[in-house]
Amino acid sequence: MKKILLSAVCGLWFMNGFSQEIPRFNPDTIKTIQLDSTVNITTQKFGIETFINAIITDNSFYQAFRNMKKYGFIAENRIYTYDKKNKVNGKIYRKIRHNPKGAVKMEYLVKQDTGKVYKKNGKYQLYTIEMFDYIFMNSYKSEFVSEGPMTTGKGAESNESYKDKLKTLIFAPGRPIKGLPFIGSKTEIFTANMRQYYDYNYASGTYLDSIPVYRFKVTVKPDLSNGTKDGLMIKELTTIFDQRTLEILGRYVDMKYSNMLFDFNVQMNIEMSYFGGEKLPTKITYQGNWDHMLKKEERASFLIVHKDYTIGK
């Protein structure tokens, strides 16, 4: 059970409302979008339910991360860890060339580590960084394999079940997650009971100078009591949709929660773009603090960029 909880909190990689931002670093809220106007939901042929249904049922966002394995690309990963005064005490920089064919799948072009990164046994100081390696470095190394659809983490408490829960937290916020103590039901923000606590609005705009998009933003209502606000884990969920297909091109999530066992404050942002007609991840930013009663407090931020995609020959 402890393993599930730590994986869930540490794995919220990729996420402004009333919640407190962490001063040292704040992910972009899809700054590559030029907004045109606020859209009046009541005058549209579609509305809130259209966007909510698209968020809950979408698998293309998750699929985009799996599809990148069959491409050649350059990955630049910058990771920073911090002490309790938010001063940097560890840095990791990786520049990697991914090759989908041949014996060498991953070639380090640059590999730099400074500060408090590793323990004496060679393992990472922070569990957060271990989860980063699990999600990204293993993906870069792996052959492309067509996997089954993402689930909500039901089933036996095996390693595969933990991975399913983690994937849902990262790629499908808003869906229920079974088997996560103290957290599982708090991710399900689109139920009839939870909707009373959130405001919804959307605007039209242009993404990367050419793609027409909608920005659908879900935020905690400002007039709620402090106690009610504190009980809501997801403070903001902003989703960017391609107007032509309603596929998701970007997502920003702001999460904060605290109880007697743990507390965390995390923001993450994910952006996609099209390459040869296929949607692939281009930028992920994360920053957050988490503290568990059985572990030391962890503070970290990431900037992950994927570029120069080429299809494997």
Side-chain angles (χ1 to χ4, degrees):
M1 192 68 74
K2 185 193 306 178
K3 180 177 181 180
I4 302 174
L5 179 59
L6 291 176
S7 294
V9 177
C10 297
L12 302 176
W13 297 109
F14 313 113
M15 308 221 279
N16 259 307
F18 69 85
S19 61
Q20 181 182 3
E21 296 177 1
I22 300 175
R24 63 168 185 265
F25 182 78
N26 186 44
D28 297 341
T29 309
I30 318 289
K31 289 186 176 180
T32 44
I33 289 180
Q34 179 64 46
L35 294 179
D36 299 326
S37 62
T38 300
V39 178
N40 186 345
I41 293 177
T42 60
T43 65
Q44 298 297 309
K45 63 181 179 181
F46 54 84
I48 292 175
E49 297 303 325
T50 305
F51 289 103
I52 290 176
N53 184 63
I55 291 171
I56 293 175
T57 61
D58 176 78
N59 285 315
S60 68
F61 208 67
Y62 172 48
Q63 184 64 43
F65 277 84
R66 299 189 302 181
N67 286 345
M68 72 179 182
K69 297 178 186 178
K70 64 184 179 183
Y71 286 82
F73 60 88
I74 299 295
E76 286 194 82
N77 303 329
R78 293 175 171 85
I79 305 172
Y80 299 88
T81 63
Y82 304 85
D83 63 20
K84 292 185 177 181
K85 295 182 178 180
N86 282 325
K87 293 183 178 180
V88 174
N89 60 10
K91 298 179 183 180
I92 297 174
Y93 175 67
R94 305 279 189 267
K95 187 172 183 180
I96 299 163
R97 178 184 287 119
H98 180 264
N99 179 13
K101 301 295 183 181
V104 179
K105 304 299 179 186
M106 187 176 70
E107 176 189 359
Y108 284 102
L109 304 178
V110 182
K111 186 177 182 181
Q112 299 173 341
D113 305 312
T114 58
K116 296 182 178 181
V117 175
Y118 299 100
K119 299 177 181 178
K120 292 181 179 180
N121 61 7
K123 293 184 178 181
Y124 286 115
Q125 288 273 357
L126 302 187
Y127 189 78
T128 306
I129 311 302
E130 287 186 33
M131 297 309 299
F132 168 87
D133 251 18
Y134 160 68
I135 291 173
F136 288 101
M137 302 306 288
N138 287 338
S139 295
Y140 298 160
K141 295 175 185 176
S142 301
E143 293 274 7
F144 175 75
V145 178
S146 180
E147 303 173 40
M150 181 173 54
T151 73
T152 56
K154 297 178 182 179
E157 299 305 323
S158 63
N159 283 338
E160 290 305 311
S161 179
Y162 300 150
K163 291 177 183 178
D164 275 341
K165 293 178 176 69
L166 181 57
K167 288 175 183 176
T168 304
L169 278 169
I170 296 169
F171 299 112
R175 292 187 190 179
I177 303 175
K178 308 298 182 182
L180 281 182
F182 312 109
I183 290 181
S185 63
K186 293 184 179 298
T187 63
E188 200 174 3
I189 64 173
F190 296 122
T191 63
N193 179 60
M194 292 293 283
R195 290 191 193 191
Q196 64 182 308
Y197 303 122
Y198 289 91
D199 285 330
Y200 305 88
N201 71 81
Y202 62 91
S204 64
T206 304
Y207 178 57
L208 297 176
D209 299 324
S210 62
I211 304 173
V213 295
Y214 291 118
R215 185 193 70 182
F216 181 62
K217 182 179 287 190
V218 182
T219 53
V220 172
K221 290 183 175 180
D223 57 349
L224 298 177
S225 69
N226 289 336
T228 300
K229 290 179 181 178
D230 290 343
L232 301 173
M233 188 182 87
I234 297 180
K235 310 303 185 182
E236 177 184 335
L237 175 61
T238 294
T239 309
I240 306 303
F241 294 93
D242 188 326
Q243 285 190 22
R244 303 164 298 184
T245 62
L246 276 191
E247 281 205 1
I248 297 174
L249 290 176
R251 172 175 289 137
Y252 172 84
V253 185
D254 182 350
M255 303 189 196
K256 185 178 181 181
Y257 189 66
S258 178
N259 62 23
M260 293 182 65
L261 292 178
F262 62 88
D263 71 65
F264 61 87
N265 185 354
V266 169
Q267 291 82 43
M268 56 188 175
N269 184 68
I270 308 176
E271 298 184 30
M272 305 276 184
S273 190
Y274 294 116
F275 295 87
E278 184 153 52
K279 184 170 67 175
L280 295 167
T282 55
K283 179 182 176 185
I284 302 99
T285 50
Y286 162 97
Q287 70 85 30
N289 298 350
W290 74 271
D291 192 6
H292 188 277
M293 64 180 299
L294 301 179
K295 298 283 185 178
K296 69 177 183 179
E297 182 181 14
E298 298 198 0
R299 303 179 179 218
S301 63
F302 312 135
L303 171 61
I304 301 161
V305 176
H306 297 153
K307 59 186 179 181
D308 299 336
Y309 280 103
T310 56
I311 189 67
K313 302 283 185 187

